[in-house]
């Protein structure tokens, strides 16, 4: 069965300096199912060379056909390239001759777009062609001599009359996917949207996800052993796949006698029977991802390799089962060698530290840095990404790292060790979750993040299951039961980490502002500083009122008191400090607020007031938090000398003000505010957390603008004064006759 769903037609001009080969490499990695080499300016000899190179790059993961050049396809085949067929136009070589020369298994497509074309195809001997390329759908610059565009409805009418699968081609973009699929398209032939894409891999993945449909559930196959206790093996895999939003399937490699305490016996069915399982699934079901676990011996491993080479599933994750927790090797030498061959077919391998040492040919890593070095070497050796798991490290931390030598990617994922004995099947569950999250269309780092969050949630709930006397299983569906959905609920600590990282670019922007740098080194113009204080005084007056709204909406007495005290502190404490600079000797008075509010100040207060008006307590306190958090963070780092030692000097012109930034009582209030907001976010549903995060992020952006505004105001004032002086001087000059 030919997968025509995403059909890439190459264009050397659109591929540009990257070249056809690199675009194809990325697009196939993103899920392109068939590649058609089209290069009208190339000679036959050049086409042959391109086919050979593309055959190596594709490596059977997608079908490879060539446009028009039947002789080039035959020559490339003769030189060992895998060329699956040709696509011919109405005026090209006879399709009957192409079938005769390429054989019954070749893929032969034919361009068609009229009723006469369809009648001619019907007159051909059965089995001559496999599909029709129907178009153009829309006008396209890549084929300026195209016929009149069919449009979606014209394609629908043609497809309804055709007995052959119809692939839509010509001006097809991602927004056409749903309509063309509904119109009966067997696939989409895409040129510009992939060849000219900044990231062909991401573009291809987006097309495939759209083709499956927004509500489509990825079909994920586990090839692994059985655990009758339900905690590991295919039983854990199926739960993991389901909990992460996939449809799970299983081909069993071994039957075990085990419980939570020990494995008592293993029975390995004949490898031929495993192949029958795999073939039965592939013949009937489009498999979106494969997770591979326990493979008991070399014959079983070679059987799986042969099946992978025939089917080429788009995503393959291998969780190597090689070393027992005791450190004992579980496989014979020939099986280990075969397993290494299997890893070269994988997209991701997920070893623990013991398995990593075996695969990398090294001693077990003594620390996390050494483990990452081993993973980098292994990734380069296998040509696959590696997720190295740090669960065997001692200490409170249990990190993971995603390593991909091909893209020079090393992304670490920190995490505190979860104190639990319910760890049975953790590796099986994580690898299955990764395969599923990837099949949902996420890039690997995003998939790792989602899978780890789910796993950590399930680990925390495992003990409560009370399954067995040994190491019990994780609770795969704890989150689903608690939420009634698939979105994970982060802990308060995770909210804090994620939100702080979410505004990392905003924080970096604040650090680099000329106002902050000049404030730290003492070169800030006094006029700009006074302008800042004037605007901050106006802001605090409005901010205090919004804090009072938070106190009014607070659900507990403790929170009510906290926000009310914060409002009082803004007026009595902070404004008095402002008055010492703005109205010295006069205290807080109307003169303290005599400045006109800037557009920046007004925008920030409008944001807070509108959030308060909505009446959502959690969203409101999220909007209030950046004023606590960013000021405390900045004050701490100023006080620590991270912006230069002069910021700590009593001789600094703004020393008294800088001292207030690092006030410990305000730091304590900030810690309490963070706790209230993070707790509210952790207790909220996904939609509520999203609203909170948006309010928080918007306030952080307003903080950045607030710090930037004094010097921008100062510059604009200078320009206005210079302009006024120029006009005044001109007015005094005598008129020239």
């Amino acid at each position: 069965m030919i997968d025509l769903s995403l059909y890439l037609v190459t264009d050397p001009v659109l591929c540009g300096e990257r070249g056809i080969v690199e675009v194809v490499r990325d697009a196939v990695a993103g899920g392109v199912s068939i590649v058609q080499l089209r290069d009208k300016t190339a000679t036959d000899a050049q086409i042959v060379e391109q086919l050979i190179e593309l055959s190596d790059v594709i490596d059977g993961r997608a079908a490879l056909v060539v446009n028009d050049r039947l002789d080039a396809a035959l020559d490339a085949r003769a030189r060992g390239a895998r060329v699956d067929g040709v696509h011919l136009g109405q005026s090209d070589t006879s399709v009957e001759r192409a079938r005769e020369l390429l054989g019954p298994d070749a893929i032969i497509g034919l361009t068609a777009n009229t009723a006469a074309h369809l009648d001619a195809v019907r007159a051909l001997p059965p089995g001559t062609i496999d599909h029709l390329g129907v178009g153009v759908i829309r006008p396209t610059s890549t084929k300026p001599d195209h016929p009149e565009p069919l449009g979606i409805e014209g394609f629908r009418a043609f497809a309804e009359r055709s007995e052959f699968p119809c692939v839509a081609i010509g001006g097809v973009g991602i927004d056409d996917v749903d309509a063309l699929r509904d119109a009966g398209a067997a696939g989409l032939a895409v040129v510009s949207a992939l060849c000219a894409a900044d990231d062909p891999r991401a573009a291809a993945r987006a097309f495939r996800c759209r083709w499956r449909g927004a509500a489509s559930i990825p079909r994920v196959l586990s090839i692994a052993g059985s655990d009758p206790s339900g905690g590991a093996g295919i039983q854990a895999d199926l739960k993991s796949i389901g909990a992460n939003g996939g449809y799970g399937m299983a081909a069993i490699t071994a039957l075990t006698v085990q419980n939570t305490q020990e494995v008592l016996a293993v029975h390995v069915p004949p490898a031929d029977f495993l192949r029958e399982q795999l073939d039965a699934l592939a013949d009937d079901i489009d498999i979106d991802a494969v997770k591979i676990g326990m493979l008991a011996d070399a014959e079983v491993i070679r059987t799986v390799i042969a099946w992978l080479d025939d089917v080429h599933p788009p995503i393959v994750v291998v969780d190597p089962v090689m070393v027992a927790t005791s450190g004992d090797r579980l496989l014979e030498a020939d099986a280990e060698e075969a397993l290494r061959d299997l890893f070269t077919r994988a997209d991701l391998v997920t070893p623990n530290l013991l398995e990593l040492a075996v695969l990398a040919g090294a001693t077990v890593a003594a620390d996390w840095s050494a483990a990452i070095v081993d993973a980098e070497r292994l990734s380069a050796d296998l040509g696959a990404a590696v997720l190295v798991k740090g669960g065997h490290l001692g200490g409170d931390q249990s990190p993971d790292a995603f390593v991909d030598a091909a893209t020079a990617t090393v992304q670490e994922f920190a995490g505190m060790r979860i104190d639990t004995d319910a760890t049975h099947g953790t590796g099986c569950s994580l690898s299955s979750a990764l395969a599923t999250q990837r099949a949902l269309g996420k890039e690997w780092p995003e998939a790792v993040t989602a899978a780890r969050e789910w796993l950590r949630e399930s680990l925390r709930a495992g003990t409560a299951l009370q399954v067995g006397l040994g190491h019990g299983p994780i609770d795969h569906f704890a989150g689903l039961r608690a939420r009634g959905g698939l979105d994970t609920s982060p802990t308060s600590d995770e909210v804090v980490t994620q939100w702080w990282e979410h505004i990392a670019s905003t924080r970096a922007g604040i650090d680099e502002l000329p106002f902050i740098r000049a404030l730290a080194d003492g070169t800030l113009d006094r006029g700009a500083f006074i302008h800042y204080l004037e605007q901050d005084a106006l802001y605090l007056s409005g901010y205090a009122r919004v804090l009072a709204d938070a106190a009014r909406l607070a659900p507990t007495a403790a929170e009510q008191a906290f926000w009310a005290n914060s409002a009082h502190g803004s007026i009595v404490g902070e404004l008095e400090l402002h008055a010492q600079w703005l109205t010295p000797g006069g205290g807080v008075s109307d003169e303290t607020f005599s400045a006109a509010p800037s557009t920046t100040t007004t925008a920030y207060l409008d944001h807070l007031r509108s959030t308060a008006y909505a009446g959502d307590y959690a969203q409101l306190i999220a909007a209030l938090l950046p004023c606590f958090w960013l000021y405390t963070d900045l004050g701490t780092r100023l006080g620590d000398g991270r912006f230069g030692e002069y910021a700590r000097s009593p001789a600094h012109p703004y020393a008294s003000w800088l001292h207030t930034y690092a006030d410990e009582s305000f730091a304590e209030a900030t810690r309490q505010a963070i706790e209230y907001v993070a707790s509210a976010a952790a207790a909220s549903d996904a939609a509520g957390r999203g609203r909170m995060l948006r309010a928080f992020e918007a306030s952080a952006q307003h903080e950045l603008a607030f710090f930037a505004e004094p010097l921008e105001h100062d510059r604009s004032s200078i320009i206005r004064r210079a302009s006024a002086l120029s006009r005044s001087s001109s007015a005094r000059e005598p008129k020239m006759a």
Side-chain angles (χ1 to χ4, degrees):
M1 183 170 61
I2 306 168
D3 181 2
L4 300 168
S5 58
L6 187 53
Y7 190 125
L8 168 62
V9 181
T10 66
D11 184 289
V13 175
L14 292 175
C15 290
E17 293 182 358
R18 292 174 299 183
I20 288 174
V21 171
E22 289 308 309
V23 169
V24 167
R25 187 195 308 275
D26 287 344
V28 169
V32 161
S33 56
I34 184 167
V35 175
Q36 177 182 320
L37 174 61
R38 186 176 74 183
D39 187 346
K40 293 186 178 296
T41 63
T43 65
D44 280 356
Q46 290 170 330
I47 290 291
V48 170
E49 295 301 326
Q50 288 186 72
L51 286 171
I52 292 170
E53 193 169 3
L54 288 176
S55 173
D56 289 339
V57 166
I58 294 171
D59 193 25
R61 293 173 296 159
L64 173 61
V65 301
V66 63
N67 187 67
D68 298 346
R69 313 288 187 94
L70 175 59
D71 290 340
L74 294 169
D75 288 347
R77 279 187 169 190
R79 292 177 56 182
R82 174 173 171 170
V83 181
D84 296 284
V86 295
H87 183 87
L88 301 172
Q90 288 291 322
S91 60
D92 295 327
T93 303
S94 159
V95 289
E96 292 178 273
R97 181 171 181 269
R99 176 62 69 193
E100 177 186 354
L101 294 175
L102 292 174
D105 296 328
I107 299 172
I108 298 181
L110 179 65
T111 297
N113 46 44
T114 68
H117 291 162
L118 196 53
D119 290 341
V121 171
R122 291 186 180 121
L124 292 170
T128 302
I129 69 162
D130 297 290
H131 66 274
L132 298 174
V134 180
V136 297
I137 306 303
R138 304 186 190 286
T140 170
S141 61
T142 63
K143 194 174 176 65
D145 58 342
H146 62 69
E148 187 70 20
L150 292 174
I152 302 293
E153 293 310 311
F155 177 87
R156 185 192 304 276
F158 188 98
E160 287 175 349
R161 296 194 305 271
S162 174
E163 304 94 321
F164 304 93
C166 294
V167 177
I169 186 170
V172 175
I174 194 164
D175 291 332
D176 298 316
V177 173
D178 297 337
L180 286 169
R181 186 185 59 238
D182 293 342
L188 309 174
V190 183
V191 188
S192 301
L194 290 178
C195 291
D198 291 336
D199 186 345
R201 179 184 302 201
R205 184 167 293 112
F207 267 96
R208 281 200 70 86
C209 289
R210 193 75 171 264
W211 178 261
R212 284 205 311 259
S216 178
I217 296 174
R219 295 144 296 201
V220 183
L221 170 63
S222 165
I223 305 174
S226 172
D227 173 11
S229 76
I234 61 163
Q235 287 83 351
D237 291 343
L238 293 173
K239 294 173 189 175
S240 174
I241 293 164
N244 281 273
Y247 173 77
M249 304 167 286
I252 301 174
T253 62
L255 303 173
T256 68
V257 178
Q258 67 173 296
N259 51 34
T260 63
Q261 299 182 81
E262 58 184 333
V263 178
L264 299 168
V266 177
H267 170 66
V268 180
D272 289 347
F273 185 72
L274 171 61
R275 180 64 194 243
E276 289 177 9
Q277 294 181 69
L278 296 171
D279 287 341
L281 291 169
D283 288 345
D284 180 50
I285 301 169
D286 290 332
I287 298 169
D288 297 307
V290 173
K291 173 268 167 85
I292 300 173
M294 176 187 178
L295 303 177
D297 58 38
E299 185 180 10
V300 169
I301 297 169
R302 285 192 286 268
T303 297
V304 172
I305 290 173
W307 179 79
L308 290 174
D309 288 345
D310 288 341
V311 175
H312 294 285
I315 298 165
V316 178
V317 177
V318 180
D319 181 30
V321 181
M322 303 176 64
V323 185
T325 302
S326 64
D328 295 332
R329 303 281 273 266
L330 299 177
L331 297 175
E332 298 294 334
D334 62 337
E336 283 195 3
E337 183 177 347
L339 197 59
R340 287 179 180 276
D341 195 20
L342 170 66
F343 293 153
T344 64
R345 273 80 170 172
D347 297 289
L348 180 68
V349 181
T350 62
N352 59 35
L353 293 184
L354 300 177
E355 292 156 346
L356 177 63
V358 173
L359 293 171
T363 58
V364 177
D367 55 42
W368 188 233
S369 297
I372 291 176
V373 171
D374 288 345
E376 289 177 304
R377 187 166 62 250
L378 178 62
S379 176
D381 182 44
L382 298 178
V386 174
L387 181 74
V388 58
K389 300 174 292 187
H392 285 80
L393 289 173
D396 295 335
Q397 296 295 317
S398 182
D400 298 317
F402 174 78
V403 178
D404 186 2
T407 58
T409 300
V410 177
Q411 185 162 341
E412 298 184 50
F413 301 85
M416 294 291 292
R417 187 178 302 280
I418 296 170
D419 186 14
T420 179
D421 289 331
T423 57
H424 186 51
T426 303
C428 304
S429 301
L430 176 60
S431 53
S432 298
L434 287 166
T436 307
Q437 291 288 346
R438 179 66 164 170
L440 285 167
K442 297 176 181 176
E443 295 297 326
W444 278 123
E446 185 185 5
V448 172
T449 297
R452 290 182 82 253
E453 288 177 351
W454 165 79
L455 179 64
R456 291 175 66 80
E457 177 182 69
S458 301
L459 274 166
R460 289 191 291 265
T463 302
L465 287 176
Q466 299 184 27
V467 173
L469 302 175
H471 289 283
I474 68 172
D475 188 350
H476 295 78
F477 299 114
L480 294 183
R481 286 196 297 271
R483 295 183 303 279
L486 295 175
D487 297 307
T488 57
S489 289
T491 64
S492 295
D493 289 343
E494 288 167 342
V495 168
V496 172
T497 301
Q498 292 165 6
W499 284 26
W500 192 239
E501 182 59 29
H502 189 78
I503 62 167
S505 61
T506 302
R507 293 188 286 113
I510 291 173
D511 282 0
E512 294 304 317
L513 286 174
F515 176 83
I516 297 299
R517 294 293 173 175
L519 179 63
D521 65 23
T523 61
L524 181 65
D525 176 75
R526 183 178 177 84
F529 182 64
I530 293 300
H531 175 79
Y532 164 75
L533 294 182
E534 289 172 340
Q535 294 303 312
D536 202 38
L538 294 169
Y539 168 83
L540 285 171
S541 179
Y543 183 66
R545 291 181 172 87
V546 181
L547 286 166
D549 283 328
R552 176 176 56 83
L553 295 169
T556 67
E559 288 166 272
Q560 186 178 17
F562 173 78
W563 299 114
N565 287 336
S566 297
H568 180 267
S570 294
I571 297 170
V572 175
E574 293 188 57
L575 280 177
E576 288 178 351
L577 291 170
H578 285 62
Q580 292 175 15
W581 289 83
L582 298 176
T583 51
V588 179
S589 64
D590 290 345
E591 189 180 353
T592 310
F593 308 103
S594 61
S598 69
T599 56
T600 302
T601 303
T602 301
Y604 196 175
L605 288 173
D606 284 348
H607 164 62
L608 295 178
R609 289 167 183 147
S610 64
T611 307
Y613 184 78
D616 184 333
Y617 169 73
Q619 187 176 353
L620 175 56
I621 62 175
L624 291 168
L625 182 57
C627 191
F628 285 83
W629 203 350
L630 290 173
Y631 272 77
T632 295
D633 172 68
L634 186 59
T636 299
R637 291 182 296 117
L638 282 165
D640 288 346
R642 274 178 269 179
F643 287 82
E645 283 298 316
Y646 189 54
R648 309 172 68 182
S649 171
H652 193 289
Y654 306 118
S656 61
W657 183 261
L658 292 176
H659 179 72
T660 67
Y661 268 91
D663 181 68
E664 180 52 36
S665 62
F666 186 65
E668 179 55 36
T670 297
R671 286 189 284 271
Q672 185 64 74
I674 292 171
E675 180 180 338
Y676 283 142
V677 173
S679 296
S684 180
D685 59 16
R689 271 194 305 279
R691 290 191 297 271
M692 291 178 70
L693 180 56
R694 287 191 292 274
F696 171 81
E697 183 180 24
S699 290
Q701 288 288 339
H702 282 297
E703 288 286 346
L704 171 62
F706 198 89
F707 279 125
E709 198 266 343
L711 287 183
E712 292 174 353
H713 168 83
D714 192 49
R715 282 193 296 271
S716 63
S717 296
I718 291 170
I719 292 169
R720 285 196 299 271
R721 287 197 298 271
S723 178
L725 286 171
S726 175
R727 289 195 299 272
S728 175
S729 175
S730 297
R732 291 194 298 269
E733 291 175 0
K735 299 294 184 183
M736 300 295 292

